Amino acid sequence: MEKEKKVQAIHNATMNVMENVGLIVHNPEIIELFKKNGIKTQGKRVFLKENQIMEWLKKAPTEFKIHARNNKYDMLVGGDNIEFGPGNSGTTIMTDYDGTERDPNYDDFTKFLKLTHVSEHFNINSGNVTPYEIKSEVPFPHMLYSMIDHSDKCIFGGNGGKVESQRIVDMLKIVFGEKEVKEKAYSLSIVSSASPLQYDKNMTDTLIECSKNNQAVVISPAVMAGSTGPVTVAGSIVVSNAESILGAVMTQMVKPGSPVIYGSATSSSDMRNGSFSIGSPESALCVDYAAELAKMYGLPSRGGGTLVDARNLSIQSAYEAMMILFSTVNSGINYVLHTAGFLGAYNSMSLEKFVVDMELLDMVKKYKEGLDVSENDLAVDVIKEIGPGGEFITSMHTYGNFKKSAYFPDLSIRGPVIGKDQEKVYHENIKKKMDKMLNSYEKPYFPKDTKSQLVKYLEEKGYQL
Amino acid sequence: MSFENISKSVIEGNEKLVVEEVKKMITGNTEPLDIINKGLMDGMNVVGVRFKNGDMFVPEVLMAAKSMKSGIELVKPLIKEEDIPTIGTLVIGTVKGDLHDIGKNLVAMLLESSGFKVVNLGVDVTPEKFVEAVKENKASIVAMSAMLTTTMINMKKVVEALKEAGLKDEVKIMIGGAPVTTKFAEEIEADLYTVDASSAAEEGRRLVS
């Protein structure tokens, strides 16, 4: 069956599920909205027909901008564009180079912020890890302050919840102005479902706060085929699709036209122990289909990245990350949420993997640039000049073109490695690159009075900056 | 007809055969406790080992547990409540604000199959409910699960509630879930953190032995 027909089959099955099985939403405010808009409800359960779904999805923008403090980092999400984000916010486990897992600290946190800020791959910064030093039930606003202080790139939101989301919006208003925040999106927050076919209060409160304040939301089910969805991958994509669609519909009901990304973190689970397997062929397939389905619905999509199941930087993490990243950039996905540093099926972050992932991204982007078939590159004159049996290494054409013709890795070792421990050399290369990036970091300008307003706001809320 | 046959049928997850064979043994006046220990539990122990070694898959383990449970249900009425072999009572639940339960249910099933009496409180469980269940059931272990960094903090609240109720010293506390770590377990004064269902079953048993 051609892909188009498969996508249609998934869509049809999803419509069947949404109309006849329904989804549960643990949020009375959302249930009221559904009722008000003529959607069939039975207690917390909602049932949507295809025409209703399409009508609501049409209201969502096909593409939208997320604005940054420095507008050279404004991100266009949608269309044929692909944007990369390092990760989400608030992972509570750090993995060191040797595989030791520990609590993330403030130093790790700021290193990630700086690396993200320096890297040309990212127009957005995120929390990545929650430093253990922040003792709060709602730590993200404190992290957001540091994020804004260290970087003028776009902002990725926190772990969710009404209180956190309200504080994020308040802080955005302080930094960008109340009027501006009403008109533009200055942040992107994640809204996850509780598969199968469910949304909890926390995540829907986040959705409401973000959407009503015009801030972008990425709907991200993570159905685990075999556990929270059918073990047959297509079935889990159906469940995931239903959840993504409902998430998008909810944003439009809260505020028609509010920016939303159709996302998916869906993949298979390993039936040997039930664990999520995101560095798998199924994961790549799910990314593929998420991109196709989102396009069909006229929404920007999110998925993929350097996703791995390996719990340390290793042979396994390398091939898993490359497989998923390569399929991601070929799939048509618009926003890649986990591009750098993640290990252990979204469980932990690694600084070294972050640096290695940059190299993967460099390689893949170079591949995607494609081929230049200009006269200069076809080089027929040069071939004529040098002729059969000749050599090109001393030619002026080589001298003049070598720098942009091939990719020069920062980390990969090429050529003979006599008398050296290859692994040690590679590790040294990672350290060198990380140091280079960190040393080149320059803190962007941040107006003093805005900074002190933020500090005042956070201290009033009980944060100890 | 033998204990071995029952054991084999449990391992193969053949519920129909297990029920048939247990019924035969009951009719044949076999000692009920032997049916459980030498037939049903024996089979489940093999399953546990094979699962740990990666030789059996989760769906196969669940089928085995299901067939064992059906067998036990037939034998239970023949044994006095106090004679039913159990290594302890375990109260298990997913903490307040969290709806994730698959891992927790897998742990519950494996612990039940390994001899615990399990009281499964479900999801979104308040500290008060945990405490009440521990009291009511005279639990030897309370097991908590959380999938989110935003809800794992409620595990601490349960520990505090147990302290307040004067129960902390009488019950062992075990925790698990994706964002949970050994360090976190130490911080909140839990007795045990396990990474997956298999080790939860194995190490949970050691907690009460």
Side-chain angles (χ1 to χ4, degrees), chain A residues 365-374 377-378 404-406:
Chain A
K365 275 185 169 179
K366 182 77 182 169
Y367 169 82
K368 289 299 282 181
E369 265 171 35
L371 205 59
D372 184 336
V373 290
S374 60
D377 278 46
L378 286 169
K404 60 172 181 61
S405 290

Side-chain angles (χ1 to χ4, degrees), chain A residues 141-407:
Chain A
H142 187 156
M143 291 159 62
L144 177 59
Y145 167 75
S146 290
M147 238 194 340
I148 297 173
D149 188 26
H150 282 85
S151 175
D152 50 7
K153 292 190 172 180
C154 292
I155 290 163
F156 191 84
N159 295 309
K162 195 175 198 162
V163 171
E164 185 200 87
S165 306
Q166 283 171 340
R167 289 178 185 175
I168 294 174
V169 172
D170 286 345
M171 290 172 74
L172 292 176
K173 285 179 178 168
I174 294 173
V175 177
F176 299 104
E178 201 163 323
K179 182 169 168 285
E180 282 74 9
V181 169
K182 278 205 171 81
E183 292 165 7
K184 295 183 192 163
Y186 285 96
S187 65
L188 176 65
S189 291
I190 193 168
V191 168
S192 303
S193 47
S195 313
L197 306 172
Q198 237 186 164
Y199 274 92
D200 69 20
K201 180 121 198 326
N202 222 42
M203 290 280 91
T204 42
D205 279 347
T206 307
L207 183 153
I208 293 169
E209 281 311 305
C210 292
S211 297
K212 83 179 189 210
N213 285 296
N214 201 43
Q215 299 309 301
V217 145
V218 51
I219 308 290
S220 294
V223 179
M224 296 166 59
S227 308
T228 56
V231 74
T232 45
V233 179
S236 276
I237 296 177
V238 168
V239 171
S240 185
N241 193 29
E243 292 170 14
S244 298
I245 288 173
L246 194 78
V249 166
M250 289 193 284
T251 62
Q252 300 311 295
M253 281 190 179
V254 168
K255 185 167 193 279
S258 59
V260 57
I261 304 176
Y262 170 113
S264 166
T266 293
S267 187
S268 52
S269 40
D270 190 319
M271 287 291 112
R272 283 170 299 190
N273 52 27
S275 50
F276 208 9
S277 48
I278 66 172
S280 59
E282 302 83 46
S283 181
L285 279 173
C286 287
V287 173
D288 240 7
Y289 279 86
E292 296 283 342
L293 288 160
K295 271 203 173 57
M296 198 173 113
Y297 303 131
L299 299 169
S301 58
R302 167 252 157 157
T306 50
L307 308 182
V308 309
D309 299 313
R311 291 192 81 105
N312 64 335
L313 186 59
S314 57
I315 302 171
Q316 180 185 342
S317 69
Y319 60 69
E320 287 178 339
M322 191 39 121
M323 174 169 189
I324 308 301
L325 184 64
F326 195 65
S327 26
T328 303
V329 300
N330 286 317
S331 66
I333 283 282
N334 299 119
Y335 185 77
V336 185
L337 209 155
H338 292 95
T339 316
F342 266 83
L343 283 172
Y346 299 122
N347 248 355
S348 71
M349 283 291 286
S350 152
L351 283 161
E352 290 81 10
K353 181 168 183 288
F354 193 104
V355 174
V356 172
D357 287 341
M358 296 293 88
E359 184 113 324
L360 264 56
L361 197 49
D362 286 337
M363 287 175 77
V364 153
K365 275 185 169 179
K366 182 77 182 169
Y367 169 82
K368 289 299 282 181
E369 265 171 35
L371 205 59
D372 184 336
V373 290
S374 60
E375 244 181 77
N376 176 65
D377 278 46
L378 286 169
V380 174
D381 284 347
V382 184
I383 298 168
K384 256 192 197 154
E385 189 193 316
I386 290 166
E391 55 80 10
F392 291 79
I393 209 152
T394 55
S395 100
M396 283 309 284
H397 183 265
T398 302
Y399 178 76
N401 287 278
F402 80 90
K403 282 197 178 147
K404 60 172 181 61
S405 290
Y407 162 68

Side-chain angles (χ1 to χ4, degrees), chain A residues 26 90 92-93 103 136-137 159-160 193-194 198-200 202 227-228 270-274 347, chain B residues 51 54 56-59 97 99-100 102 106 148-150 152-153 157 178-181 183 187:
Chain A
H26 294 273
T92 54
I93 304 174
D103 281 345
S136 170
E137 276 194 29
N159 295 309
S193 47
Q198 237 186 164
Y199 274 92
D200 69 20
N202 222 42
S227 308
T228 56
D270 190 319
M271 287 291 112
R272 283 170 299 190
N273 52 27
N347 248 355
Chain B
F51 181 49
M56 263 183 99
F57 291 74
V58 168
L99 302 179
H100 295 91
I102 292 181
L106 196 57
L148 307 168
T149 53
T150 42
M152 64 196 255
I153 194 136
K157 297 191 176 160
V180 181
T181 57
K183 184 151 188 226
E187 257 173 51

